[in-house]
Amino acid sequence: MLSESKIIGFLKNQFPEQIGDDAAILPLSKHKSYVISKDILVEDIHFRFKYHQACHLAHKALQVNISDIAAMGATPQYVLLGLAIPDHGRIYIDQFLENFSAICKASSIILIGGDTTKSPDKLFISITIIGLIANSHIKFRNRAEDGNLICIAGNLGDAHIGFTALERNIAGLEPFKENFLKPNALLKEGLWFSKQRDVTAMMDISDGLFIDLKRLCMASNVGAKVDIDKLKFSDTFKLACEILKLDPMVTLLTGGEDYGLLLTIKPEAYSRIASKFKACFGYQLKAIGQITKGSEVHFIQNNQLKTLNLQPFAHFGESL
Amino acid sequence: MLSESKIIGFLKNQFPEQIGDDAAILPLSKHKSYVISKDILVEDIHFRFKYHQACHLAHKALQVNISDIAAMGATPQYVLLGLAIPDHGRIYIDQFLENFSAICKASSIILIGGDTTKSPDKLFISITIIGLIANSHIKFRNRAEDGNLICIAGNLGDAHIGFTALERNIAGLEPFKENFLKPNALLKEGLWFSKQRDVTAMMDISDGLFIDLKRLCMASNVGAKVDIDKLKFSDTFKLACEILKLDPMVTLLTGGEDYGLLLTIKPEAYSRIASKFKACFGYQLKAIGQITKGSEVHFIQNNQLKTLNLQPFAHFGESL
């Protein structure tokens, strides 16, 4: 059975030095590197015309890519835009391009190229983004160490609530819908973490905490225990889940597309980093568990091992 | 009406310094630059499963991108592969990935990243390629000067004959089909031209000579006159056009996907460069006309202006 992880596994086996982080490194000088990443958005897989306005989509397409650059700790510099446009997407595209250009300019990102072609029926958006970073600041996902604290910046599960409400045509729940339609990459936070030496590993959470933590552990050759009691959800979150008949813990652990940051921090540095983070960004850096030896990701509740039956977010097999 | 040229025009207007060549420049050092380009291939627009075997498609997808790097005079170094895979493409993909990896390795190109996702119905391939070049060797398309000779390296129209034969399910014409199914970028030639100071401008011919020469003229703010008598076609080419009821001159001027090189050369240097080229590559560098003042592309036959009713190759409006 084909899957995204099998494809990446095959390619990583072929090119073991290069594949496997949010973005790849393009050597630039002794002190600096470019980082480069590409993300594809496909109509009716990642977005729908019926609820994604062109301005939303332009914002989302760029932010999804910026998130990969932020996760390395870099600053986005350049972007290439590829579009395959179906007949029904033509009216939509003018507004998409205007918004895309405006957002690039507002973010000091320069559009340097791309490709445009016709598509038989669905709109495909393929973006390549290039960032710049000091070599000593690059954060990889394969450097987590036994004993590090697992930390989260940003929301978990909110976008999935918004997505579910939009798909089921449920009125209200606007802040959640906004999270799904117009996510914001944690660019400033990524840059800030890149300068903290005691942040050992970092990646973005695009496919949900459950699967992305597994990826971080696999890359770092470690395991993890997640303290479920530390995964708090607000009353609004709980109420939204009730309305949509979603399990709040499952939604929080497996909902994708929030584009928060997952990081590991040396335990002795956590309180210093967390209080500076709170002072700087006005919200909490949450410690939710610890990196362990081994390779398993365990969930703990009331000091007991808890078995959760979670289905990771996967493009193959998902039906939007 | 939306068109590829309108989209590029809009974006070039927004980012005037950056857009408009085969590849974009990523500054690297005082002496070197990266060049970066992306090309999209869409099922039933650029290829069909019924005649593109996975090994053909892997080859073509990479060569189409290498051609953009070759057209700048650069050497390809890194590639990122984006795939949106429909259910019916799953069996095909294993072989595609194996071939793609093998060709990258054989060409010393390192796969450094990408993205994989599901597609509702068509296979979508998005490749980003990065090359390396000495700054003094970069060839742009906007440097053609009045009086320069217009030269062509490589075939014109062959791929279109092959494509037409495949679409109409006509047996035979194998060399033409091979040109369409497995085109080869003129990488060595591009590198060689990059070292010739008297080559003033260069680009690849992906959409047919007629439209690509117009693009070169527009970028350089010049016109051109093409001597039709210099556009010779072989007996085999003529016979293939007869079989397929294609006009040989129209096919030669507008057929896309041959991935030859279009270049302009200072007239006093032409015979020196052409004879060195012949000695080096074993085939002719054809001079087919001259760059002029103004902005029009004219066709000349027997010293008379000739009006040709040519339809440029265009993704928008084309029906594969």
Side-chain angles (χ1 to χ4, degrees):
Chain A
M1 169 92 178
L2 188 78
S3 72
E4 187 170 4
S5 65
K6 275 203 180 171
I7 290 179
I8 295 169
F10 171 81
L11 294 174
K12 191 165 170 54
N13 197 34
Q14 299 292 312
F15 299 91
E17 297 301 312
Q18 281 77 25
I19 305 286
D21 223 306
D22 293 88
I25 308 293
L26 275 184
L28 177 55
S29 73
K30 206 172 151 186
H31 304 293
K32 285 189 171 182
S33 289
Y34 287 121
V35 292
I36 182 166
S37 175
K38 72 186 292 166
D39 258 325
I40 296 171
L41 282 89
V42 184
E43 181 187 345
D44 289 345
I45 296 290
H46 302 97
F47 63 89
R48 290 195 199 275
F49 282 139
K50 72 174 180 189
Y51 53 63
H52 264 105
Q53 291 174 38
C55 60
H56 292 152
L57 190 58
H59 178 97
K60 181 165 185 165
L62 197 60
Q63 291 294 325
V64 164
N65 279 275
I66 290 176
S67 182
D68 284 324
I69 299 300
M72 304 297 291
T75 306
Q77 301 275 308
Y78 303 107
V79 73
L80 292 94
L81 174 62
L83 292 170
I85 307 168
D87 285 338
H88 71 273
R90 293 189 182 198
I91 306 166
Y92 195 86
I93 284 300
D94 278 352
Q95 217 195 319
F96 175 89
L97 289 172
E98 269 177 36
N99 279 277
F100 192 84
S101 301
I103 304 165
C104 283
K105 284 179 182 181
S107 317
S108 301
I109 298 172
I110 305 170
L111 182 80
I112 56 170
D115 190 20
T116 310
T117 185
K118 187 180 165 76
S119 168
D121 46 14
K122 302 290 179 189
L123 177 63
F124 288 87
I125 304 170
S126 162
I127 291 178
T128 303
I129 191 158
I130 298 141
L132 192 63
I133 188 164
N135 291 336
S136 57
H137 288 177
I138 306 176
K139 295 295 179 193
F140 297 95
R141 65 170 69 172
N142 65 356
R143 306 289 161 90
E145 297 156 355
D146 178 26
N148 287 173
L149 294 186
I150 301 163
C151 298
I152 304 286
N155 301 326
L156 291 174
D158 287 12
H160 188 73
I161 291 175
F163 160 72
T164 309
L166 286 162
E167 279 293 294
R168 297 192 197 158
N169 212 12
I170 308 277
L173 303 172
E174 295 306 328
F176 295 99
K177 290 177 183 170
E178 184 88 358
N179 263 288
F180 173 71
L181 294 171
K182 281 189 73 177
N184 284 305
L186 302 186
L187 183 56
K188 284 180 184 156
E189 289 87 332
L191 269 171
W192 190 87
F193 287 127
S194 78
K195 291 168 191 155
Q196 312 299 322
R197 279 199 187 181
D198 294 321
V199 171
T200 49
M202 184 159 70
M203 67 181 284
D204 76 340
I205 309 170
S206 50
D207 295 340
L209 175 63
F210 172 59
I211 189 72
D212 284 324
L213 178 56
K214 278 201 168 194
R215 287 173 180 151
L216 183 135
C217 287
M218 205 181 291
S220 296
N221 208 13
V222 294
K225 53 179 184 192
V226 175
D227 188 347
I228 290 182
D229 299 316
K230 299 236 171 99
L231 293 170
K232 300 249 165 28
F233 31 78
S234 68
D235 290 345
T236 325
F237 188 93
K238 208 172 156 187
L239 184 64
C241 286
E242 269 174 36
I243 291 169
L244 298 170
K245 298 187 174 54
L246 294 172
D247 181 300
M249 186 53 74
V250 171
T251 302
L252 191 136
L253 285 171
T254 63
E257 310 221 1
D258 287 291
Y259 302 102
L261 290 172
L262 169 63
L263 48 152
T264 56
I265 299 182
K266 291 186 178 170
E268 63 275 17
Y270 171 71
S271 47
R272 178 179 51 81
I273 289 179
S275 69
K276 276 171 69 188
F277 181 89
K278 179 79 198 290
C280 209
F281 296 102
Y283 67 93
Q284 203 74 42
L285 176 66
K286 286 164 261 175
I288 59 156
Q290 204 157 15
I291 294 295
T292 59
K293 287 199 181 76
S295 61
E296 294 294 310
V297 175
H298 293 296
F299 294 91
I300 312 286
Q301 194 160 34
N302 298 324
N303 291 319
Q304 299 280 315
L305 203 63
K306 189 168 162 105
T307 307
L308 293 172
N309 185 18
L310 301 174
Q311 290 302 316
F313 174 92
H315 287 115
F316 292 95
E318 85 174 342
S319 55
L320 230 177
Chain B
M1 167 95 176
L2 185 78
S3 70
E4 185 169 3
S5 64
K6 275 202 178 169
I7 290 179
I8 295 169
F10 171 81
L11 294 175
K12 191 166 170 53
N13 196 35
Q14 298 292 312
F15 299 90
E17 298 301 312
Q18 280 78 23
I19 305 285
D21 224 305
D22 293 270
I25 308 293
L26 277 185
L28 178 54
S29 73
K30 208 172 151 186
H31 303 294
K32 286 188 172 183
S33 288
Y34 286 121
V35 293
I36 182 166
S37 175
K38 73 187 289 168
D39 257 326
I40 295 169
L41 282 89
V42 184
E43 183 187 343
D44 289 345
I45 297 291
H46 302 97
F47 63 88
R48 289 196 200 275
F49 283 139
K50 72 175 178 185
Y51 52 64
H52 263 104
Q53 291 174 37
C55 59
H56 292 151
L57 190 58
H59 178 97
K60 182 167 184 163
L62 197 61
Q63 290 294 323
V64 164
N65 280 275
I66 290 176
S67 182
D68 284 324
I69 299 301
M72 304 299 289
T75 306
Q77 302 275 307
Y78 303 107
V79 72
L80 293 94
L81 173 62
L83 292 170
I85 306 169
D87 284 338
H88 70 275
R90 293 189 182 199
I91 305 166
Y92 196 86
I93 284 299
D94 279 352
Q95 217 195 321
F96 175 90
L97 290 172
E98 269 177 37
N99 278 277
F100 191 85
S101 301
I103 304 165
C104 283
K105 286 181 181 178
S107 316
S108 302
I109 299 171
I110 303 169
L111 183 82
I112 55 171
D115 189 20
T116 309
T117 184
K118 187 181 165 78
S119 168
D121 47 11
K122 303 288 179 189
L123 177 63
F124 172 87
I125 304 168
S126 163
I127 290 176
T128 303
I129 190 158
I130 298 139
L132 192 64
I133 189 164
N135 291 335
S136 58
H137 288 177
I138 305 177
K139 296 295 177 191
F140 296 97
R141 67 169 67 172
N142 65 355
R143 307 288 160 91
E145 296 158 354
D146 178 27
N148 287 174
L149 295 186
I150 301 163
C151 298
I152 303 286
N155 300 327
L156 292 175
D158 288 12
H160 187 73
I161 290 175
F163 159 71
T164 309
L166 286 163
E167 279 295 293
R168 297 193 197 156
N169 210 13
I170 308 276
L173 302 172
E174 294 306 327
F176 296 99
K177 290 177 183 170
E178 184 87 359
N179 263 288
F180 174 71
L181 294 172
K182 281 189 73 176
N184 285 304
L186 301 186
L187 183 56
K188 285 181 184 155
E189 289 87 333
L191 271 171
W192 189 87
F193 286 127
S194 78
K195 291 169 191 156
Q196 312 299 321
R197 279 198 187 182
D198 295 320
V199 171
T200 50
M202 184 159 71
M203 67 181 284
D204 76 339
I205 309 171
S206 50
D207 294 342
L209 175 62
F210 172 59
I211 189 70
D212 284 325
L213 178 57
K214 279 200 167 192
R215 288 174 180 153
L216 182 134
C217 286
M218 204 180 291
S220 295
N221 208 13
V222 293
K225 56 179 183 193
V226 175
D227 189 346
I228 289 183
D229 299 317
K230 298 236 173 99
L231 293 169
K232 300 249 165 28
F233 29 78
S234 67
D235 290 345
T236 325
F237 187 94
K238 209 172 156 186
L239 184 65
C241 286
E242 268 174 37
I243 291 168
L244 298 171
K245 297 188 174 54
L246 294 172
D247 181 301
M249 186 54 73
V250 171
T251 303
L252 190 135
L253 285 169
T254 63
E257 310 221 3
D258 288 291
Y259 302 100
L261 291 172
L262 169 63
L263 47 152
T264 57
I265 299 182
K266 292 189 179 169
E268 63 275 17
Y270 171 71
S271 46
R272 179 178 52 81
I273 289 178
S275 68
K276 274 170 70 187
F277 182 88
K278 179 77 197 294
C280 210
F281 296 102
Y283 67 93
Q284 204 75 42
L285 175 67
K286 286 165 261 175
I288 59 155
Q290 205 156 15
I291 294 295
T292 60
K293 288 197 180 77
S295 61
E296 294 296 310
V297 174
H298 292 297
F299 293 91
I300 313 286
Q301 194 160 34
N302 298 324
N303 292 317
Q304 300 279 316
L305 204 64
K306 189 170 163 103
T307 309
L308 294 173
N309 186 19
L310 301 175
Q311 291 301 317
F313 174 92
H315 288 116
F316 291 94
E318 85 175 341
S319 56
L320 227 178

